[in-house]
C-alpha cells in the first residue's frame, strides 16, 4: 500500500528556496516576494492519479500526473521552461525527474510523522520544505 498524501498542507519551513529560484533563473524582484510566501499544498491522490495545487497570495501552480507516465510540464508562473516530467515511487517516496534545459531538476515528496516533506532540486541547489496539516 502506497503512502497517502491526501490533504491540505501549510508550509512551516523553507530552506534555500532562494538558491533554488536563482538556479531556475527567477529574477531578483520575484525572488524577494516569493521567499516571503507561505504556500499551501492541496494534494489529491486517487490510485496512480495525483493533483498537487500549490497556492499562495502571489501565484498558484497546479500539477496533475499519473505515476509512471511521462508528461510535458510548462512550469507556468515559475520559470516558464518546459520540461518532460516523470513521477515514480521509490519505496514510500514520490520522486519527480524534470528533464529539460536545467540539469538535475526534480523534486521528492515524503511523509515523516505528521509532516509532509519536499525537496526541490535544480542544478547544484537543493531547497527543503516542510508542511504541516492545515
Ligand atoms: O512543487 O514544483 O509539490 O508542482 C511556488 C509558488 C510553487 C509561489 C513552487 C510562486 C512549486 C513562486 C514547487 C514564483 C517564482 C513544485 C511540486 C511538488 C509540484
Amino acid at each position: 500500500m502506497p503512502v497517502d498524501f491526501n490533504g491540505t498542507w501549510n508550509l512551516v519551513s523553507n530552506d534555500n528556496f532562494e538558491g533554488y529560484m536563482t538556479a531556475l533563473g527567477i529574477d531578483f524582484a520575484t525572488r524577494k516576494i516569493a521567499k516571503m510566501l507561505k504556500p499551501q499544498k492541496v494534494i489529491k491522490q486517487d490510485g496512480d492519479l495525483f493533483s498537487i495545487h500549490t497556492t499562495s497570495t502571489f501565484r498558484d501552480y497546479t500539477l496533475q500526473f499519473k505515476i509512471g507516465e511521462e508528461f510535458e510540464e510548462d512550469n507556468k508562473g515559475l520559470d516558464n521552461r518546459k520540461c518532460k516530467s516523470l513521477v515514480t515511487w521509490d519505496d514510500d517516496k514520490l520522486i519527480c525527474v524534470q528533464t529539460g534545459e536545467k540539469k538535475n531538476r526534480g523534486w521528492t515528496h515524503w511523509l515523516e510523522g505528521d509532516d509532509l516533506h519536499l525537496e526541490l532540486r535544480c542544478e547544484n541547489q537543493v531547497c527543503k520544505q516542510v508542511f504541516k496539516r492545515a
Side-chain angles (χ1 to χ4, degrees):
M1 267 299 273
V3 183
D4 184 3
F5 288 97
N6 276 296
T8 301
W9 304 89
N10 291 331
L11 184 95
V12 294
S13 72
N14 195 0
D15 181 31
N16 197 37
F17 192 45
E18 173 74 10
Y20 174 74
M21 288 190 290
T22 303
L24 283 176
I26 307 292
D27 68 84
F28 179 86
T30 304
R31 292 202 311 271
K32 294 307 125 188
I33 296 166
K35 69 193 282 191
M36 301 305 293
L37 300 171
K38 297 273 179 258
Q40 183 174 74
K41 282 194 194 277
V42 178
I43 302 182
K44 295 193 171 131
Q45 176 179 349
D46 178 13
D48 282 349
L49 296 175
F50 281 76
S51 68
I52 302 179
H53 293 270
T54 308
T55 60
S56 75
T57 52
F58 177 53
R59 261 175 217 172
D60 300 337
Y61 188 71
T62 295
L63 193 68
Q64 293 186 66
F65 58 88
K66 186 176 179 182
I67 298 292
E69 215 166 79
E70 193 176 57
F71 59 98
E72 182 152 307
E73 186 174 3
D74 61 11
N75 296 290
K76 206 169 172 61
L78 306 177
D79 65 323
N80 297 303
R81 271 190 206 85
K82 289 192 169 72
C83 60
K84 298 271 193 202
S85 299
L86 176 66
V87 185
T88 55
W89 288 108
D90 178 16
D91 290 325
D92 288 343
K93 291 188 174 186
L94 208 53
I95 301 198
C96 180
V97 175
Q98 295 172 306
T99 305
E101 197 183 320
K102 291 288 179 183
K103 300 290 173 219
N104 192 38
R105 183 171 185 171
W107 51 259
T108 301
H109 265 302
W110 69 97
L111 297 179
E112 249 177 68
D114 293 328
D115 298 338
L116 173 73
H117 287 243
L118 172 62
E119 184 182 276
L120 295 161
R121 299 175 291 276
C122 183
E123 297 186 322
N124 61 342
Q125 296 296 313
V126 179
C127 167
K128 180 67 200 303
Q129 300 184 337
V130 180
F131 298 79
K132 288 194 178 292
R133 283 197 187 273

